[in-house]
Amino acid sequence: MRRFLKYLLGMVAGLAAMFALGVLWPSAKSPLPDAADTRLIRNARIIDVELATVGEPTEVLIEGGVIARIGDGPRTGPHIPILDAGGRYLLPGFWDMHTHAFQLSPQLHLPLAIANGVTGTRDLMDCPGSNDTLIACVDDKRRWTRAAAEGRMASPRFVEVASFYFERADMTPDQAAALAATYHARGLDALKVYNRLSPASYERLTDEARQWGMPVVGHLPKAVNLEDAVAAGQRSFEHAHLFVRHCSRDAAAWRGGALDAEAPVALAERMVAGHDAAACGHAFARMREAGSWFVPTHVTREEDARARDPAFTGDPRLAYLDPLSRWAYRDDLKSTAARYPDARGEAALRAYFEHGLALTGAAYRAGVPVLVGTDTALGGFRYHDEMALLARAGLSPAEVLRAATLDAVRYAGQAHRHGRVAVGHAADLVLLEANPLEDIANTRRLHAVLLAGRLYDRPRLDALLDFTRAQARSPANAAKLVWGFLASSVSGEL
């Protein structure tokens, strides 16, 4: 018995030592772009995303990460690198307007974004405190943005960082105001609201944010009417639930809790069957007039609708997720399938998903600006899936491209520096093999990506994919994730 206990203690000690070694093991560095931020691109067909036109092959001169000239000009010096586009299609880099960054995102997520042409990202969950072992904090994201622009790291620019979410149902208005003041002092760009925040605390929060000129973004709290939120100045609304729920004849009953006891399948069916077109039209008009933005993240509702689909649950791209994230992803799908059982449940989810797509198309046609966001760990790949879903919702390829580029930078107030292939704009660009104005699926056919003029050619993009896949299998990263989750102040809320 003593020998067995000694052996067992030795095994436990060995495992603990291996775990500690993994936690302390230095994090790997991603492949980097070509160091030069000055180069000449020849034979590029520039896509004007606003006019939906394609130009004849031309030259684009980049100096210091900024577009300095378009068209023929003086001969460049012999030492300036040249990228021959070969008649391919050049357009602004894509911005993912709903993401979440973690401490291990430089290994697991950010390189995957660059490899898929995402050069800007809007982060919608900062740390609740000044630091965290799991979630990346605003100082991390600012540092990563600088490093990416200087070619020292493979990452998109973080174009907006929102706070940790205001979610507690028992949060008083004074507590909401005090927490908002803390986040404002920390230098965050926006305040994120979530599902359970009370109307009184929501109202106080939006009043405080208005005084600071700080946008309120995120979910529509359940107890808050959409038009009241628009009037209060909420800048963006996330997820396709928004219009499905608000544009139902039972919206008020749902908000008031009268439907809380209803089974999930029946509730989903009720929301779709009880569609109120007039309520939708009124909400669309209020959002258009107020300049409110909509980020539907249809890929998240697709996950619900396809929770039983073997082709979806067995997506080979899941190999780019670490084991913990892959388990959580599949566990979410299993949980969804259990909450919506049998053929009826599957049909209800698919109808809900399709209804959400239709309402996004209707909102866009009514003048509500729509942005492209993913809200998923597979965000790089799923970004192109989201663009395809927006096209399925009724947006033209040109409209999807505008949502992914020019409209995104307009939301962020950065249209003077981003969103176009234009002189004076940052050289954050993608070079595609085929014309995306003809088929939005062509955004997947990346030949090269540039961030601040620094080039990721196809071999470098492939190296980023290989790196991310290897990091997803790293035992050291698995140990860091487990430790980060267990030590995080918010592990119980995620």
Side-chain angles (χ1 to χ4, degrees), residues 290-372:
S292 305
W293 298 77
F294 180 42
V295 190
T297 68
H298 285 296
V299 289
T300 57
R301 299 289 69 76
E302 183 187 31
E303 290 168 7
D304 297 339
R306 300 183 63 189
R308 293 177 178 82
D309 183 348
F312 194 74
T313 58
D315 189 337
R317 299 175 300 182
L318 294 176
Y320 291 88
L321 288 184
D322 63 90
L324 185 62
S325 298
R326 190 162 60 247
W327 171 84
Y329 181 85
R330 286 178 168 154
D331 188 63
D332 282 347
L333 297 181
K334 289 179 182 177
S335 176
T336 298
R339 290 180 66 235
Y340 295 84
D342 306 323
R344 180 186 170 190
E346 185 174 6
L349 287 173
R350 287 187 177 273
Y352 192 99
F353 169 58
E354 295 291 345
H355 189 48
L357 287 172
L359 292 180
T360 292
Y364 189 84
R365 289 189 296 275
V368 177
V370 171
L371 300 174
V372 186

Side-chain angles (χ1 to χ4, degrees), residues 125-414:
M125 188 177 68
D126 202 64
C127 307
S130 58
N131 56 72
D132 195 82
T133 56
L134 181 67
I135 302 172
C137 302
V138 64
D139 289 342
D140 300 315
K141 296 158 192 172
R142 304 278 192 245
R143 185 176 69 254
W144 295 344
T145 296
R146 291 191 298 271
E150 293 167 4
R152 296 183 287 108
M153 178 179 173
S155 170
R157 302 177 193 261
F158 283 79
V159 300
E160 182 176 84
V161 179
S163 71
F164 194 75
Y165 43 78
F166 287 75
E167 164 71 339
R168 283 181 23 232
D170 62 351
M171 180 179 286
T172 67
D174 285 348
Q175 288 172 333
L179 186 56
T182 298
Y183 289 149
H184 178 254
R186 198 177 294 159
L188 290 162
D189 302 314
L191 301 173
K192 182 179 180 179
V193 292
Y194 216 64
N195 300 327
R196 297 189 300 155
L197 192 66
S198 71
S201 293
Y202 178 87
E203 182 179 2
R204 178 68 178 278
L205 184 65
T206 54
D207 287 344
E208 296 290 324
R210 194 178 306 111
Q211 293 179 34
W212 298 321
M214 197 174 185
V216 172
V217 303
H219 293 205
L220 175 68
K222 180 180 178 182
V224 177
N225 180 280
L226 174 57
E227 292 176 31
D228 291 342
V230 172
Q234 183 164 335
R235 185 97 193 283
S236 80
F237 296 89
E238 315 297 310
H239 308 309
H241 289 304
L242 181 73
F243 295 128
V244 177
R245 290 168 174 169
H246 177 77
C247 302
S248 165
R249 290 190 294 271
D250 296 303
W254 177 77
R255 284 197 305 273
L259 304 181
D260 287 355
E262 191 155 336
V265 173
L267 183 60
E269 292 171 338
R270 177 193 290 268
M271 290 294 180
V272 175
H275 176 64
D276 184 341
C280 249
H282 198 264
F284 295 160
R286 299 290 81 76
M287 289 181 71
R288 181 187 66 243
E289 292 161 4
S292 305
W293 298 77
F294 180 42
V295 190
T297 68
H298 285 296
V299 289
T300 57
R301 299 289 69 76
E302 183 187 31
E303 290 168 7
D304 297 339
R306 300 183 63 189
R308 293 177 178 82
D309 183 348
F312 194 74
T313 58
D315 189 337
R317 299 175 300 182
L318 294 176
Y320 291 88
L321 288 184
D322 63 90
L324 185 62
S325 298
R326 190 162 60 247
W327 171 84
Y329 181 85
R330 286 178 168 154
D331 188 63
D332 282 347
L333 297 181
K334 289 179 182 177
S335 176
T336 298
R339 290 180 66 235
Y340 295 84
D342 306 323
R344 180 186 170 190
E346 185 174 6
L349 287 173
R350 287 187 177 273
Y352 192 99
F353 169 58
E354 295 291 345
H355 189 48
L357 287 172
L359 292 180
T360 292
Y364 189 84
R365 289 189 296 275
V368 177
V370 171
L371 300 174
V372 186
T374 56
D375 190 25
T376 173
L378 274 175
F381 293 121
R382 294 289 273 157
Y383 189 86
H384 299 279
D385 296 347
E386 180 71 10
M387 286 200 280
L389 290 173
L390 289 176
R392 186 167 153 188
L395 279 68
S396 70
E399 289 168 338
V400 174
L401 290 176
R402 279 197 287 276
T405 57
L406 188 56
D407 287 344
V409 305
R410 285 171 171 162
Y411 165 89
Q414 297 188 34

Side-chain angles (χ1 to χ4, degrees), residues 16-77:
M18 290 177 62
F19 180 80
L21 182 63
V23 171
L24 297 173
W25 195 263
S27 295
K29 304 296 184 184
S30 65
L32 298 176
D34 182 85
D37 64 356
T38 295
R39 71 184 62 249
L40 179 67
I41 304 176
R42 285 180 172 162
N43 300 316
R45 299 179 186 271
I46 296 174
I47 292 182
D48 185 318
V49 293
E50 185 162 36
L51 300 178
T53 58
V54 180
E56 293 299 316
T58 190
E59 291 186 352
V60 178
L61 177 63
I62 299 167
E63 293 180 343
V66 176
I67 297 172
R69 168 171 60 82
I70 295 175
D72 294 338
R75 293 189 62 180
T76 57

